[in-house]
C-alpha cells in the first residue's frame, strides 16, 4: 500500500509507516498542484497533507483508491470533508497534541505586544540604545487587566490559564460554557460585543468555519478599546485583516500579534511596515516534541485505517 505525503514531516512518521510495511512517497516541493497529485499520488491509498494543502473534490477524484486523508494539523478547513465522506474516505486530524505549544505562543505574542519586545530588539540592533531613559519604549502592564478569549476550547482555555497566572481577569466568548475554566480561574462567559468593549487584550482561538469566517468584521473590531491588544493564533480569515491594519495605522489599537494571515503564506505588505504589529510565520505548534507527536499521530491514523482498524482521531 502506498502513502503519499505532501511535505517532509519529522522522520519519526516515515519510519513508523515503513516499519508497518507501507511504501511512502514524500513530495519534494510545497503545495502539490492538481496535476502533481494525478501524476504522483494516483495509486495511493492514504494521503498525509498539511493545512496549506487544499484537498478539493478534483484532487480526491485523482486518487481513486484513497481510503484516508490524514491532516497534519488540528484544523481541517483545507479539506472538502463532505465530498470525502461521500466518497467513503476517512479524514483525521491531530488534536490535543499542540494545545500547550500554541497556548505558549499565544501568550508569547501577548507579552511581545505589551512590552515592545520586537521593537526593543530592533532598536538595540540598529545601534540606537545609548542608555536607560524614563520614557523609552513604554509598554502595558498585564496584571489586573482583562483578557478576552474568543473560543474557549482546549487552546483558548490553556491560554486563559497562563494569563490568570499573570494576574489577569479572564472573560470569554464561546458556543458553550467552559465550567472548568469558570471554576478554576473565575472566568466569566460574556457576549462577543461585551468582550470586545471590555478587554484590554483579545486573543482568538476559534476554528475557521462558515460561522466564524470574518467573525471580527470592521464593526466588531471598532468596538475594541483604543489602547487594546489583539492576538490571532487561530486562522487569518476569522477577522477583517485589512480593517485591522487600518486601525493599527491610525493608532486605534496599541498593537497586534499575528501568527496566521489571510491568503497565507502571502502576507499583506502593509503589515510588514507596521511598527505596532508582531509578525510570526505560523509557529503555533513549532516545537520539536509537538511536531514529532503530530507526525506520529498522523501515521498511526493511516496505519489503523489501512489495516482495517478505527482511526485514532477522526474528524
Amino acid at each position: 500500500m502506498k502513502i503519499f505525503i505532501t511535505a517532509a514531516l519529522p522522520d519519526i512518521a516515515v519510519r513508523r509507516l515503513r516499519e508497518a510495511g507501507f511504501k511512502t512517497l514524500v513530495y519534494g516541493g510545497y503545495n502539490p498542484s492538481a496535476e502533481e497529485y494525478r501524476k504522483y499520488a494516483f495509486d495511493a491509498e492514504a494521503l498525509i497533507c498539511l493545512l496549506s494543502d487544499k484537498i478539493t473534490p478534483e484532487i480526491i477524484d485523482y486518487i481513486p483508491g484513497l481510503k484516508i486523508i490524514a491532516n497534519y494539523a488540528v484544523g481541517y478547513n483545507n479539506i472538502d470533508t463532505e465530498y470525502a465522506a461521500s466518497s467513503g474516505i476517512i479524514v483525521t486530524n491531530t488534536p490535543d497534541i499542540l494545545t500547550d505549544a500554541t497556548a505558549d505562543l499565544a501568550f508569547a505574542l501577548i507579552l511581545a505586544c505589551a512590552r515592545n519586545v520586537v521593537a526593543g530588539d530592533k532598536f538595540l540592533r540598529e545601534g540606537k540604545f545609548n542608555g536607560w531613559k524614563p520614557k523609552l519604549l513604554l509598554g502595558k502592564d498585564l496584571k489586573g487587566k482583562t483578557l478576552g478569549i474568543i473560543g474557549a476550547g482546549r487552546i483558548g482555555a490553556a491560554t486563559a490559564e497562563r494569563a490568570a497566572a499573570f494576574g489577569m481577569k479572564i472573560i470569554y466568548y464561546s458556543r458553550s460554557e467552559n465550567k472548568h475554566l469558570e471554576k478554576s480561574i473565575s472566568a466569566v462567559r460574556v457576549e462577543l460585543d461585551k468582550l470586545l468593549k471590555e478587554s484590554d487584550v483579545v486573543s482568538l482561538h476559534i476554528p475557521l468555519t462558515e460561522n466564524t469566517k470574518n467573525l471580527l468584521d470592521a464593526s466588531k473590531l471598532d468596538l475594541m478599546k483604543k489602547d487594546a491588544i489583539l492576538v490571532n493564533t487561530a486562522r487569518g480569515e476569522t477577522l477583517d485583516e485589512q480593517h485591522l491594519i487600518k486601525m493599527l495605522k491610525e493608532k486605534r489599537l496599541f498593537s497586534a500579534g499575528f501568527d496566521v494571515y489571510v491568503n497565507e503564506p502571502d502576507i499583506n505588505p502593509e503589515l510588514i511596515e507596521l511598527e505596532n504589529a508582531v509578525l510570526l510565520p505560523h509557529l503555533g505548534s513549532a516545537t520539536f516534541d509537538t511536531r514529532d507527536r503530530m507526525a506520529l499521530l498522523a501515521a498511526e491514523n493511516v496505519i489503523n485505517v489501512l489495516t482495517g482498524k478505527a482511526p485514532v482521531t477522526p474528524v
Side-chain angles (χ1 to χ4, degrees):
M1 293 182 181
K2 176 179 169 182
I3 300 160
F4 183 71
I5 306 174
T6 64
L9 300 181
D11 293 341
I12 191 171
V14 173
R15 285 202 307 269
R16 178 70 182 97
L17 291 167
R18 289 177 177 169
E19 287 169 0
F22 297 108
K23 177 184 177 182
T24 60
L25 175 62
V26 180
Y27 179 72
Y30 180 76
N31 288 145
S33 66
E35 184 58 36
E36 287 167 324
Y37 280 104
R38 179 157 58 182
K39 182 178 180 180
Y40 298 116
F42 70 93
D43 57 345
E45 295 189 48
L47 172 66
I48 300 179
C49 58
L50 311 184
L51 188 67
S52 54
D53 298 316
K54 305 302 180 186
I55 310 302
T56 63
E58 177 189 25
I59 289 171
I60 290 172
D61 286 344
Y62 284 158
I63 315 174
L66 193 60
K67 295 182 175 63
I68 175 175
I69 302 170
N71 216 34
Y72 183 67
V74 173
Y76 46 89
N77 54 282
N78 58 309
I79 301 170
D80 192 322
T81 54
E82 289 187 8
Y83 190 79
S86 70
S87 303
I89 299 167
I90 292 171
V91 177
T92 65
N93 64 342
T94 58
D96 300 331
I97 290 172
L98 46 71
T99 297
D100 285 325
T102 306
D104 284 348
L105 192 86
F107 205 75
L109 277 173
I110 292 171
L111 284 169
C113 287
R115 296 301 306 274
N116 293 305
V117 171
V118 175
D121 179 88
K122 181 173 182 287
F123 182 85
L124 187 144
R125 290 176 189 274
E126 291 177 347
K128 296 177 180 178
F129 179 58
N130 55 15
W132 185 92
K133 296 177 182 178
K135 294 184 178 181
L136 177 63
L137 290 171
L138 298 182
K140 312 280 276 183
D141 286 320
L142 294 179
K143 185 175 182 180
K145 301 297 174 61
T146 298
L147 170 65
I149 294 285
I150 299 178
R154 289 180 289 264
I155 297 172
T159 304
E161 289 168 348
R162 284 155 174 74
F166 275 70
M168 298 188 77
K169 172 187 174 183
I170 310 300
I171 58 178
Y172 73 96
Y173 168 77
S174 189
R175 289 181 304 173
S176 55
E177 293 177 310
N178 189 321
K179 291 295 187 183
H180 171 74
L181 210 58
E182 293 175 8
K183 183 177 181 180
S184 62
I185 59 173
S186 301
V188 177
R189 186 183 180 207
V190 298
E191 293 300 318
L192 182 58
D193 286 6
K194 181 178 176 65
L195 181 146
L196 294 168
K197 290 176 182 177
E198 295 185 1
S199 296
D200 300 294
V201 180
V202 173
S203 188
L204 280 86
H205 302 280
I206 48 178
L208 180 60
T209 67
E210 287 301 317
N211 292 329
T212 63
K213 188 174 183 179
N214 212 35
L215 178 68
L216 296 193
D217 59 16
S219 66
K220 295 296 185 186
L221 289 171
D222 284 341
L223 297 175
M224 294 181 64
K225 293 181 178 181
K226 185 176 180 180
D227 60 347
I229 294 167
L230 187 147
V231 166
N232 189 5
T233 55
R235 292 290 178 265
E237 294 84 356
T238 57
L239 55 75
D240 185 337
E241 185 177 273
Q242 193 60 52
H243 189 72
L244 180 56
I245 290 170
K246 183 174 184 287
M247 294 176 70
L248 289 166
K249 283 183 174 181
E250 296 172 354
K251 310 297 183 186
R252 290 161 56 195
L253 292 176
F254 182 74
S255 60
F258 299 77
D259 191 41
V260 290
Y261 308 86
V262 176
N263 301 320
E264 189 177 322
D266 296 325
I267 310 302
N268 189 321
E270 292 181 85
L271 272 176
I272 306 296
E273 301 301 320
L274 291 173
E275 295 185 355
N276 54 348
V278 177
L279 311 179
L280 297 179
H282 206 146
L283 297 179
S285 62
T287 69
F288 293 109
D289 290 344
T290 299
R291 292 284 172 87
D292 277 354
R293 292 171 63 203
M294 289 170 63
L296 191 56
L297 178 54
E300 294 297 344
N301 274 312
V302 166
I303 291 169
N304 276 20
V305 170
L306 296 188
T307 56
K309 300 175 184 176
V312 184
T313 52
V315 303

